Amino acid sequence: MFTLDFLVTPFTAIPEVDPMPILMRLLAALILGMVVSAVYRHTRSPAAIAPSFPTTLILLCVLIAMVTQVIGDNVARAFSLVGALSIVRFRTVVRDTQDTAYVIFAVITGMAVGAHNLWVAVIGIVVVGCASLWSNLHIIPDAEPIYILVVRMIIGAKPEAIAGQVMDLHLMDRKLISVGTPRKGGAMEFMYEARLKPQGSPSDLMATLHTLDGVQGAQLRRQDCADF
């Protein structure tokens, strides 16, 4: 007689696990991850902080605690995790560090289910989901986005003397990261990491820069949307 035991076995064969210690460990990881994120924010300059990276630190802290629950003392599972992560190849640029964290999240959740640790998967989804929603509600505020400003000037021009006042008017801060010449060598390109002031306008900044004598061109791009 045909039976559906193969559909029932994966759930009836799950070992009994007390979910409370798992929940407490993941919540502790969440709280300590927030501490790590706060330390990162206060020890790095605002211009060096990517908007999504502090949240990624929190998620990774919870995810590592989650995968530790799945692996336990099982060496085979540890090697399986390494193999699973090595299969994941990013054929395109990952623009946001949170995307990488969610890929790891999916791998760990699938591994937990496959290892009959459904409580780890379920509680992990709840804790990580709460952390993500917390971030989206701006309880953990995002930093101002970082822009890449490229200003092209005539050879011998001094960018601060020509465009310094205009940039100060629209930018909260800026840092010169590279100086070079285009292929034809007829101009100098100055590249800055910058943050716009709350009242600053990208279009007004570009329009004003193009009116300055000695400026041949300018471009402004968000750092997390630019491939170099």
Side-chain angles (χ1 to χ4, degrees):
M1 182 177 177
F2 180 75
T3 63
L4 299 178
D5 291 343
F6 70 96
L7 294 177
V8 179
T9 301
F11 298 95
T12 58
I14 298 174
E16 293 185 3
V17 177
D18 186 0
M20 287 306 298
I22 298 174
L23 177 60
M24 297 305 296
R25 293 187 187 107
L26 296 188
L27 288 177
L30 175 61
I31 295 172
L32 294 177
M34 291 179 178
V35 175
V36 172
S37 178
V39 171
Y40 172 79
R41 283 182 176 276
H42 288 85
T43 55
R44 297 281 289 171
S45 64
I49 299 178
S52 63
F53 193 69
T55 303
T56 303
L57 292 176
I58 298 173
L59 296 180
L60 286 178
C61 191
V62 177
L63 292 175
I64 295 302
M66 185 176 169
V67 75
T68 303
Q69 300 298 308
V70 176
I71 294 174
D73 297 328
N74 194 314
V75 178
R77 290 180 186 174
F79 281 105
S80 298
L81 177 64
V82 173
L85 292 177
S86 66
I87 293 174
V88 179
R89 303 287 185 180
F90 296 106
R91 299 301 182 185
T92 57
V93 176
V94 179
R95 301 186 185 278
D96 196 327
T97 55
Q98 287 191 48
D99 293 342
T100 304
Y102 281 113
V103 171
I104 298 174
F105 184 27
V107 172
I108 296 172
T109 301
M111 187 175 180
V113 174
H116 289 180
N117 289 320
L118 286 182
W119 276 119
V120 175
V122 172
I123 295 174
I125 288 174
V126 172
V127 175
V128 173
C130 290
S132 300
L133 290 175
W134 195 351
S135 174
N136 290 336
L137 292 174
H138 301 287
I139 297 177
I140 303 173
D142 284 338
E144 292 295 326
I146 301 175
Y147 288 87
I148 299 297
L149 173 63
V150 180
V151 182
R152 186 178 298 107
M153 296 184 173
I154 60 176
I155 296 292
K158 296 181 179 180
E160 293 300 323
I162 296 176
Q165 291 185 351
V166 172
M167 291 189 287
D168 288 339
L169 181 63
H170 294 275
L171 301 178
M172 183 186 306
D173 51 54
R174 65 183 184 275
K175 178 175 67 175
L176 182 64
I177 57 176
S178 72
V179 178
T181 58
R183 294 180 180 178
K184 296 182 180 180
M188 294 284 291
E189 283 189 348
F190 301 88
M191 184 179 296
Y192 298 87
E193 280 186 353
R195 294 179 189 270
L196 285 171
K197 290 182 177 179
Q199 69 276 15
S201 169
S203 58
D204 290 344
L205 173 60
M206 292 295 98
T208 307
L209 285 175
H210 279 87
T211 62
L212 299 178
D213 292 335
V215 176
Q216 296 183 345
Q219 186 180 35
L220 185 68
R221 296 177 286 183
R222 280 186 60 136
Q223 188 183 54
D224 54 0
C225 297
D227 297 332
F228 295 100

